[in-house]
Amino acid sequence: MASDASASSAPAQQPVAIVCVGMAGSGKTTFMQRINAHLHSQKEPPYVINLDPAVLNVPFESNIDIRDSVNYKEVMKQYNLGPNGGILTSLNLFATKVDQILGLLEKRAAPDPEKPGKKLIKNILVDTPGQIEVFVWSASGQILLESLASSFPTVIAYVIDTPRTASTSTFMSNMLYACSILYKTKLPMILVFNKTDVKDASFAKEWMTDYDAFQEALSQDEASNAFGGVEGEGAGSGYMGSLLNSMSSMLEEFYAHLSVVGVSSMTGQGVDEFFAAVQEKAEEFKKDYLPELERKRKERDELKRKTREKELDKMMKGMAMGETSAAAEQNSGDKDNSDISSNEDENDDDDADANDEYDREGLQDRYAAALEANRDSTMQDASFAKFLHSQRK
C-alpha cells in the first residue's frame, strides 16, 4: 500500500516536444506520419500540432491545426501577400493564441484527480512549414518555440534528404544550415537523415566523425569536376575545395553536440533509434538548456519589473505635480476669499499697497537722480568737445 501511495504521489513525467523542421522535399511530413504511427502502435498516442497553414492534406490527425484558426488564402487576399508572406502572416496571427495552446498541452500533460485513469501524453509532435526560414527565423516561430521550451523539454529534429546530400558541397550546406538553426533556437538538435531506404546514411556519419574520410570524398569530387568550376572567374573547384576543407575543420566541435540517426519514413527503419536519441536529448535539455532558459526568463522578468517600476514612478510624479498645482490653486482661492471676509487681511493688504507706493516713489527719485547725473556728464563731454574744436581752429 505504501508503495502504491508513493507511486501515485510521484510527479508525472513531462512530455517531450519534438519540433520537426526541414527543407521542402526532405520528407518531413512523411517522417511525422511515421513517428506518429509508431507511437500509436506503442499505445502511446502523441499530441500532434500542425503549423503549416498552406498544406492541403496531412496524412495524420492533428489535435491542434493552424488551418482551423487561420485561413491561409484569405490572409493572402486580405493583405495582398505572396505564398511565403501568407505563411508568415498566418503564423504571426496564430502566435497570438500561444497561451491557449500551452493551456491545452498542460491540461493533457497534468494528471486529473477526478479522472485517475486518464492517460497522460508523453510526446508532443509539431509539424512546421516546408519554408524552413519562415518558421525558424520569424518572430512568431521564436515565440512558439520559446513558449514550448518554457513548459516542456523541447527537441529540434532537423530532417535531411539523404540522397541529395551525397555530394560534399550539399552535405556541407546542410551542416551549416543545421548549425545556424541550433544557435538560433538554442535547443538540443537531432539530425535525421531521411530516406535511408534509397541511400544509406553511413557515409554522412563517417564524414562527421572522420575528418580524413571527408577529405578523401572532397578530393574525389574535385577530381571529377563536381563543383563545375568556370575558368577565368576565380570560382573553380580549387576555391570550393579550400572553402569546404576549412568549413569541415571548423564544424568538428559542432558535430560533437549533435545526435545523428538514419531513418526511412517508408519502411520505419531507425525509428526506435530516433526515439532513443529523443530521450537522450530530453535529459540534455533538463541539464544544460533549461538553466539557461530560466536565467533568460528571469532577466526578462526583471527587465519587465524595472520597466513597470519606472512607469509607476513617472505616474506617481505626475500625480504629485497635479496635487501640487491643485493645492496652489486652492491656496490662491483661499487668499482671494480672505480679502473679502477678513478685516485683518485687509490691513495687511493696505500696508503692502503702501510699501508698493513707497517703492515706486523711491524708484522714481533714483531714476531722476541718475538721469540728472548723466545729463551733467553729457554736457561736460559736449563742452570739452567744443574746447578741442576751438583750439584746432
Side-chain angles (χ1 to χ4, degrees), residues 7 61 93 123 142 192 246-247 268 290 377:
E61 185 177 354
L93 294 172
N123 293 279
Q142 184 176 359
V192 181
S246 60
M247 287 181 178
L290 188 58
S377 175

Side-chain angles (χ1 to χ4, degrees), residues 291-354:
E292 179 68 14
L293 289 173
E294 290 179 349
R295 184 186 66 80
K296 289 186 176 180
R297 190 184 304 118
K298 288 179 180 178
E299 288 181 354
R300 287 196 298 268
D301 293 342
E302 182 67 18
L303 182 61
K304 290 180 181 178
R305 185 185 65 80
K306 290 181 179 180
T307 304
R308 285 196 300 267
E309 288 181 355
K310 188 179 295 184
E311 294 297 328
L312 183 61
D313 289 342
K314 289 182 180 179
M315 185 177 67
M316 295 300 292
K317 288 179 181 179
M319 292 175 62
M321 291 178 64
E323 291 175 357
T324 303
S325 300
E329 292 177 0
Q330 185 176 1
N331 291 337
S332 177
D334 292 343
K335 184 181 292 185
D336 294 339
N337 293 334
S338 65
D339 289 341
I340 297 172
S341 60
S342 174
N343 293 328
E344 194 172 333
D345 289 341
E346 287 180 1
N347 295 333
D348 293 340
D349 291 340
D350 292 340
D351 294 340
D353 292 340

Side-chain angles (χ1 to χ4, degrees), residues 105-165:
L105 291 173
E106 290 171 354
K107 185 177 179 181
R108 288 295 306 272
D112 189 352
E114 297 180 358
K115 299 178 181 179
K118 172 186 174 183
K119 192 172 182 62
L120 305 180
I121 58 173
K122 293 184 178 180
N123 293 279
I124 302 168
L125 304 183
V126 183
D127 192 17
T128 60
Q131 289 80 352
I132 188 171
E133 69 282 354
V134 171
F135 178 77
V136 174
W137 300 103
S138 65
S140 54
Q142 184 176 359
I143 290 170
L144 292 167
L145 281 176
E146 288 184 354
S147 300
L148 270 177
S150 66
S151 301
F152 309 101
T154 305
V155 177
I156 301 292
Y158 180 59
V159 184
I160 300 172
D161 188 345
T162 306
R164 294 185 180 179
T165 317

